[in-house]
Amino acid sequence: MFQSVELSPGDPILSLVEDFKRDDRAQKVNLSIGLYYDEAGHVPQLACIRRAYERLASQQDRPDLYLPMEGLASYRLAVQHLLFGRGSEPVQAGRIATVQTLGGSGALKVGADFLHRYFPQAELWVSNPTWENHISIFEGAGFKTRTYPYFDPATGGVDFEAMLACIRQIPAGHVVLLHPCCHNPTGADLTDEQWDMLVPVLKERKLIPFLDLAYQGLGRSLEEDVYAVRVMVAAGLEFLLSNSFSKVFSLYGDRIGALSVVCPDEGTAERVLSQLKVTVRRNYSSPPVRGAQLVDIVLGDQALSGLWQDEVAAMGARIREMRKKLHEQLVARLPGQDFRYLLEQRGMFSMMKLSPAQVDRLREEHGVYVLRSGRVCMAGLNERNLPPVVEALAAVLAS
Ligand code: PLP
Ligand code: TYF
């Protein structure tokens, strides 16, 4: 019966991680998957999470029951406060429907299923390029996907004119997926002024914006990284916002995130929430409990939340420092080449000007793993691996 099943080629990012694990060279460096590593090269457990675990242990004397379909109530409210602002009008008005999800991926899936049910004709528009899973998840939910121009390899920035021109042509009612900060895979973000110009177009064209936020705080700051959210709220748009806490709480395996749908009024939000619950029920009934409890403890406590904010700020600062050093050392080695884009791009990733052949040489000759597209995880760099990485890049970029 199952003999005709073909082998899937697998996720390109995760398969590269498997290759890396099998590589027995001591000097190998993994800059492929998007994980935040500390200066010692470890994926850290944050101090605020350690404290939250201690608190949880002292409170927990009952078995874990199922959470409701929409997740932990206090967590959902804490998410709204973080993303939209505690005193913000849509939070105060109760016009945001938020459900706890299995990471950012789960939020995308719940959002995609919900949208496809209510807007079956809508197509999804994503940036060219985008995180591959955006396409997989939406196609899995039944969407046809298309791309709008985004990354300009010549400058390492956004080709905003082409992006805007394309978005002006998208038929009303289609879904436009946007990265509010730390674009995956390029690191090229819109400026605040560009968001100011884009948002009225989305509104005028009656498009459905879907913001996917996986790196809040790792670009500029927790507040600046949600500028797009602020502008959309101020413009009175209805939109979806998925967020992931995998990176910013270093809680990858707990699968914790949320989906928020900003509605015009409280009654609509109530009905939307009821449908998001239906979507959850049809997929996996209810979300896991631990990640929500941990994040809720941190965000709900002034001291722990302050500690978390400092820890996120430190992660962001370390990435920027690594960008600066990589830039400095590459310029010193290859004075004729322009690496300014490393400083301008934001977040965990940079799309480096590397051909697939150069990427293969990095891996085969130097044990430096980056994605085939040229995406390099800046958050995997540290003082110890920087010299061999610079050496490897200089070698493949020189010839
Ligand atoms: N969205 C973007 C843009 C991402 O880069 C990622 C990667 O982790 C996700 C969503 C998925 O997040 P999670 O691992 O929490 O599912
Ligand atoms: O882009 C990345 O590297 C991260 C991690 O199927 C990731 O978003 C990669 C692939 C995947 C899930 C997460």
Side-chain angles (χ1 to χ4, degrees):
M1 253 164 58
F2 302 132
Q3 266 171 338
S4 60
V5 173
E6 321 95 49
L7 186 68
S8 153
D11 181 292
I13 301 176
L14 303 179
S15 350
L16 203 56
V17 174
E18 290 310 309
D19 293 346
F20 177 80
K21 285 188 197 150
R22 277 193 295 269
D23 190 329
D24 53 17
R25 286 173 287 182
Q27 79 287 7
K28 65 181 180 175
V29 182
N30 187 5
L31 304 177
S32 61
I33 192 167
L35 294 178
Y36 175 85
Y37 294 89
D38 62 16
E39 175 51 38
H42 300 126
V43 177
Q45 182 181 58
L46 300 192
C48 62
I49 292 295
R50 233 177 350 260
R51 301 261 295 275
Y53 265 117
E54 287 160 11
R55 207 169 289 184
L56 203 55
S58 68
Q59 291 169 359
Q60 200 99 6
D61 54 359
R62 285 163 294 149
D64 285 321
L65 302 178
Y66 289 125
L67 282 179
M69 291 170 268
E70 69 276 21
L72 190 66
S74 48
Y75 165 83
R76 293 163 49 228
L77 194 59
V79 167
Q80 290 190 356
H81 291 165
L82 175 68
L83 302 183
F84 297 92
R86 186 176 287 268
S88 67
E89 179 278 323
V91 170
Q92 293 299 316
R95 63 181 180 89
I96 309 171
T98 299
V99 291
Q100 176 190 332
T101 58
L102 284 85
S105 305
L108 290 160
K109 169 66 175 160
V110 173
D113 277 357
F114 165 74
L115 287 172
H116 192 60
R117 184 151 193 215
Y118 282 91
F119 309 94
Q121 302 308 322
E123 295 175 356
L124 175 76
W125 293 73
V126 295
S127 59
N128 182 20
T130 194
W131 186 47
E132 287 96 339
N133 245 2
H134 283 148
I135 297 166
S136 307
I137 290 171
F138 275 81
E139 287 189 347
F143 273 85
K144 187 168 167 42
T145 59
R146 297 171 174 273
T147 60
Y148 57 81
Y150 188 79
F151 186 61
D152 181 356
T155 62
V158 178
D159 185 349
F160 185 65
E161 228 170 273
M163 174 186 181
L164 204 59
C166 175
I167 290 178
R168 280 189 209 282
Q169 306 296 319
I170 300 179
H174 282 207
V175 182
V176 182
L177 193 134
L178 298 152
H179 304 222
C181 67
C182 307
H183 185 266
N184 182 4
T186 68
D189 282 350
L190 295 188
T191 63
D192 291 352
E193 294 69 30
Q194 288 170 336
W195 283 112
D196 291 343
M197 281 153 79
L198 175 64
V199 166
V201 174
L202 296 167
K203 185 171 184 178
E204 191 185 295
R205 298 293 308 163
K206 297 190 167 45
L207 299 169
I208 306 175
F210 197 137
L211 295 178
D212 183 28
L213 179 67
Y215 306 95
Q216 185 187 6
L218 297 184
R220 291 186 286 174
S221 66
L222 282 170
E223 194 54 35
E224 288 169 293
D225 286 350
V226 288
Y227 183 80
V229 178
R230 301 283 177 274
V231 188
M232 287 200 184
V233 167
L237 283 180
E238 295 174 49
F239 63 99
L240 291 87
L241 168 59
S242 53
N243 77 284
S244 164
F245 288 135
S246 301
K247 319 283 149 79
V248 295
F249 274 94
S250 201
L251 284 174
Y252 304 86
D254 281 279
R255 311 308 296 133
I256 184 66
L259 173 71
S260 298
V261 183
V262 180
C263 301
D265 53 65
E266 191 176 11
T268 309
E270 209 174 298
R271 296 193 304 282
V272 167
L273 181 66
S274 77
Q275 292 300 336
L276 296 178
K277 286 161 68 169
V278 170
T279 308
V280 167
R281 186 163 171 78
R282 300 197 319 175
N283 276 303
Y284 51 83
S285 279
S286 66
V289 70
R290 194 76 57 239
Q293 289 176 325
L294 293 169
V295 171
D296 181 43
I297 288 172
V298 173
L299 293 181
D301 179 286
Q302 214 170 5
L304 287 188
S305 146
L307 176 58
W308 174 64
Q309 289 170 30
D310 292 346
E311 291 189 281
V312 179
M315 290 193 259
R318 200 190 82 73
I319 296 172
R320 288 190 294 276
E321 185 61 21
M322 285 301 120
R323 288 182 171 282
K324 223 167 93 193
K325 292 202 163 148
L326 179 64
H327 171 262
E328 214 169 77
Q329 296 181 26
L330 282 175
V331 167
R333 292 294 302 269
L334 302 166
Q337 297 187 30
D338 186 359
F339 293 102
R340 266 174 309 181
Y341 65 87
L342 289 172
L343 302 175
E344 287 154 10
Q345 294 170 348
R346 292 197 185 120
M348 288 177 90
F349 306 115
S350 264
M351 187 63 96
M352 293 196 68
K353 289 175 192 159
L354 292 164
S355 67
Q358 288 171 323
V359 168
D360 290 343
R361 281 190 60 202
L362 278 178
R363 186 183 65 255
E364 286 162 13
E365 295 172 25
H366 304 274
V368 174
Y369 286 67
V370 309
L371 299 194
R372 227 78 226 288
S373 59
R375 189 191 83 170
V376 179
C377 182
M378 296 287 135
L381 290 171
N382 57 48
E383 297 287 349
R384 187 184 40 79
N385 67 22
L386 197 61
V389 168
V390 168
E391 199 61 41
L393 284 167
V396 308
L397 287 167
S399 41

